[in-house]
Amino acid sequence: AARRAMMDDIVVGNPRMKAAHETFDYLIEHAELQPGRDKRCVALIAPSQSGKTTIIDSYIKRMNTPEAMAQGDIPALKVTLQANITRRQFAQDILESFERFGCDALVETGTEAQLLRRAAKYLLLRRVRILFLDEFHHVVHSDNRKVVMSVSETVKRLLITGNCPIVVAGLRDARRPFDANAQLAHRAEPHLDLSPLDPARKDHTELFKAFLLDYLSKADQLGVADNLLDLMSGDTPACIWEVWRGVLGAACNLIKEAVHVAAIERRRSVVRADLARATESAIRNRLYDRNPFTHGLDQIRPMEEG
């Protein structure tokens, strides 16, 4: 558990994270240059385990400094939307996020309109510079299309009131409200897409190699295991790619599970058999259906020279 916790805390900078953070910086700078004017937004579209949460949380950690928090500011606020959300629940989710910072937001009190006004008021009073709406695909998965459009209109309204820019984050369906609502789309930057890396693209394979090396190096520096950098040799990186199909966060989870397997056997060294057993766990969970660590590679080898 201690080894897994240490690996969970590792943050690896990469071009995709840098591009996302630069977009967030731009939204804030644009908003603060035009106080009282409409704000802009962006959608962070990402498959599960692609690093979306790491990108958001690392940015929030950078923004929410001890100095800012001591003054009562919440420069970056993350709201995790619930499933089957309504517009009232949307406002309540925002208010609940403030309550985690010690605010008495009266989440259950008031009409829908009053809750939305209260949410906007807290965004202003706590000097929120950027608002993250996570799990935004829950809006799309509502059974009622009118609810989908209603919540989308509420996001647009929050931008019009001029409190702060907004980042909506979620799975691929999270972009559908922008496709259906032209007025919201006009207020949005181009979507930030974290699609799985493509083994046929050299820039993607180079990104993957650099990411994997950085991740393993940081884990090695923490003393998580004795020989993690050995996983960069031979066809092991290509096998990792095949199992998790170019999704960076999922590749990290495979390595974490291999470290767990070794730790259960009271070993500090991680061997190929540990990765094979970690893959078998993924197969049992129906996340994958083949084990390249025992049966060989079946796809393009992204780590091959040339």
Side-chain angles (χ1 to χ4, degrees):
R3 295 186 194 185
R4 176 64 185 249
M6 285 191 291
M7 296 181 80
D8 285 345
D9 284 339
I10 295 174
V11 176
V12 176
N14 61 79
R16 289 180 162 191
M17 176 182 287
K18 183 174 182 291
H21 284 190
E22 287 177 348
T23 299
F24 304 159
D25 287 340
Y26 165 75
L27 290 176
I28 292 174
E29 183 177 355
H30 172 267
E32 293 178 351
L33 286 171
Q34 298 192 84
R37 298 279 298 276
D38 291 8
K39 303 303 184 282
R40 295 187 63 76
C41 66
V42 70
L44 177 59
I45 308 300
S48 180
Q49 303 300 315
S50 61
K52 169 177 62 68
T53 298
T54 300
I55 287 174
I56 292 173
D57 288 350
S58 61
Y59 189 81
I60 291 174
K61 183 177 181 180
R62 193 187 92 189
M63 294 290 293
N64 291 353
T65 63
E67 294 77 14
M69 303 303 290
Q71 295 174 2
D73 295 354
I74 309 174
L77 179 69
K78 183 169 79 169
V79 178
T80 301
L81 302 179
Q82 300 182 42
N84 299 318
I85 193 170
T86 64
R87 193 161 70 166
R88 177 184 174 85
Q89 184 64 58
F90 178 84
Q92 290 177 317
D93 285 350
I94 296 176
L95 292 171
E96 283 179 359
S97 296
F98 281 109
E99 289 200 334
R100 292 199 296 272
F101 290 91
C103 302
D104 184 9
L106 303 175
V107 175
E108 302 297 335
T109 304
T111 65
E112 174 188 295
Q114 289 172 330
L115 290 168
L116 287 169
R117 285 196 297 270
R118 193 177 304 144
K121 178 182 177 181
Y122 270 104
L123 289 169
L124 181 63
L125 290 177
R126 299 306 296 266
R127 291 181 285 277
V128 176
R129 300 175 68 192
I130 188 166
L131 173 64
F132 292 91
L133 301 177
D134 201 7
E135 306 294 330
F136 196 68
H137 51 274
H138 284 165
V139 173
V140 179
H141 291 165
S142 169
D143 294 332
N144 190 330
R145 189 176 185 280
K146 290 183 179 179
V147 171
V148 175
M149 293 304 298
S150 177
V151 174
S152 299
E153 283 292 313
T154 302
V155 174
K156 188 187 76 174
R157 182 62 185 170
L158 285 174
L159 294 171
I160 291 173
T161 58
N163 288 320
C164 64
I166 296 174
V167 177
V168 301
L171 303 179
R172 187 163 301 278
D173 282 349
R175 65 193 306 166
R176 284 174 53 193
F178 293 86
D179 297 335
N181 189 327
Q183 291 185 339
L184 181 60
H186 282 304
R187 290 175 168 82
E189 299 300 315
H191 297 322
L192 299 170
D193 194 349
L194 298 183
S195 297
L197 301 179
D198 182 355
R201 289 182 53 175
K202 184 177 180 180
D203 60 328
H204 282 197
T205 62
E206 291 297 324
L207 190 160
F208 180 76
K209 284 191 290 186
F211 178 90
L212 187 60
L213 177 60
D214 195 358
Y215 182 78
L216 293 173
S217 297
K218 289 181 177 178
D220 181 69
Q221 292 168 8
L222 290 172
V224 171
D226 292 336
N227 66 326
L228 285 174
L229 289 174
D230 292 346
L231 300 182
M232 291 297 300
S233 63
D235 69 351
T236 299
C239 291
I240 293 172
W241 182 299
E242 183 186 331
V243 173
W244 288 113
R245 303 173 186 180
V247 178
L248 296 177
C252 295
N253 284 337
L254 179 66
I255 296 169
K256 293 174 188 177
E257 181 60 23
V259 170
H260 180 211
V261 170
I264 291 296
E265 296 185 354
R266 301 190 180 280
R267 287 185 285 107
R268 291 195 55 81
S269 60
V270 178
V271 297
R272 186 183 181 90
D274 298 326
L275 288 166
R277 288 178 59 186
T279 302
E280 289 300 326
S281 296
I283 292 173
R284 286 196 298 273
N285 287 337
R286 298 184 179 181
L287 297 173
Y288 193 63
D289 58 6
R290 210 185 75 88
N291 195 331
F293 294 101
T294 57
H295 297 100
L297 288 167
D298 190 40
Q299 297 181 357
I300 297 172
R301 298 189 181 195
M303 302 297 111
E304 285 187 348
E305 293 297 324

